[in-house]
Amino acid sequence: MVAAASSVLAGQADKPQSTAFNALPKDVRAFVDDVRQHCDYLLKEMPEQERADQTYVPEDGMSGILSVKLGGRPAIVVDNFKLCTTDVIGGNCTNAGCDLTIWLQHRDGTWRKTLTEHLQAPPVFHIDGGSGELLLLDIFPQEHHPECSEVSDKEEGSDNEFCNLRAEYREGKWAFKVFLKPIP
């Protein structure tokens, strides 16, 4: 596995990255590269007739990456679902969904993860067009998420076990509120 992973790394290094991608914080770039390398590796493991001319790594290096502001400070949103051209189980996602990760630049200039959520469906961003401030974030985690405990009227026999949460970044913390019943 080590040899295979290193050959994937070498293949990725040959691809030109955009200036915007190269300007991302080192930890964010490493995270994105790691996810995309897993997608690329899994594609190469597929039988040749199945993969045809497919690629799991998008041409746009910024695909799945969004620069916003949180509390007036720079933040980077990484939506794993969009880091590869589709959801790749074992690559950018699992069979239970995909991760959403947000890094925030702190006053000392360092970048740290401020939110990581495993979602059943792509998030919806509510961003102020003028300032770039992320005002609200609609996420769809599985119902075992701590904030979903109040929602228990899941339709009997349904495999969709998730709720709808609205997240808001206030005073340095994330606040969550259920905004709809679980989707049956």
Side-chain angles (χ1 to χ4, degrees), residues 5-183:
S6 63
S7 67
V8 171
L9 288 169
Q12 288 291 320
D14 295 339
K15 291 189 177 187
Q17 293 290 353
S18 69
T19 304
F21 183 84
N22 288 328
L24 292 171
K26 180 181 173 184
D27 290 347
V28 176
R29 283 193 325 265
F31 177 88
V32 170
D33 281 342
D34 184 55
V35 169
R36 288 180 174 159
Q37 288 161 9
H38 280 90
C39 290
D40 194 45
Y41 174 77
L42 291 169
L43 175 68
K44 289 176 181 171
E45 291 296 305
M46 290 173 64
E48 193 171 332
Q49 66 274 14
E50 287 181 34
R51 62 182 146 132
D53 293 327
Q54 292 185 55
T55 178
Y56 283 155
V57 178
E59 292 295 317
D60 178 4
M62 291 300 287
S63 180
I65 304 167
L66 182 63
S67 293
V68 295
K69 292 197 180 291
L70 280 178
R73 291 187 288 168
I76 308 282
V77 177
V78 177
D79 180 358
N80 274 28
F81 182 78
K82 294 180 181 177
L83 287 183
C84 299
T85 56
T86 188
D87 55 328
V88 181
I89 296 173
N92 57 334
C93 299
T94 70
N95 61 352
C98 303
D99 286 346
L100 175 77
T101 308
I102 300 179
W103 280 265
L104 179 66
Q105 185 177 33
H106 290 264
R107 295 190 194 330
D108 64 2
T110 60
W111 289 83
R112 291 183 226 136
K113 289 180 186 177
T114 184
L115 181 74
T116 300
E117 294 288 345
H118 194 71
L119 307 178
Q120 290 287 321
V124 177
F125 304 99
H126 303 268
I127 300 171
D128 181 284
S131 68
E133 186 77 24
L134 179 59
L135 304 172
L136 297 170
L137 175 64
D138 296 341
I139 60 173
F140 312 97
Q142 292 181 337
E143 74 175 12
H144 59 73
H145 188 285
E147 300 297 331
C148 297
S149 61
E150 68 190 59
V151 182
S152 61
D153 56 346
K154 181 173 106 40
E155 187 175 306
E156 191 171 327
S158 170
D159 289 333
N160 293 333
E161 298 179 359
F162 58 98
C163 71
N164 301 332
L165 291 179
R166 179 154 286 162
E168 183 178 8
Y169 190 76
R170 295 186 292 211
E171 299 174 13
K173 293 182 180 180
W174 287 97
F176 298 92
K177 183 176 181 178
V178 174
F179 71 97
L180 290 175
K181 289 182 178 181
I183 297 173

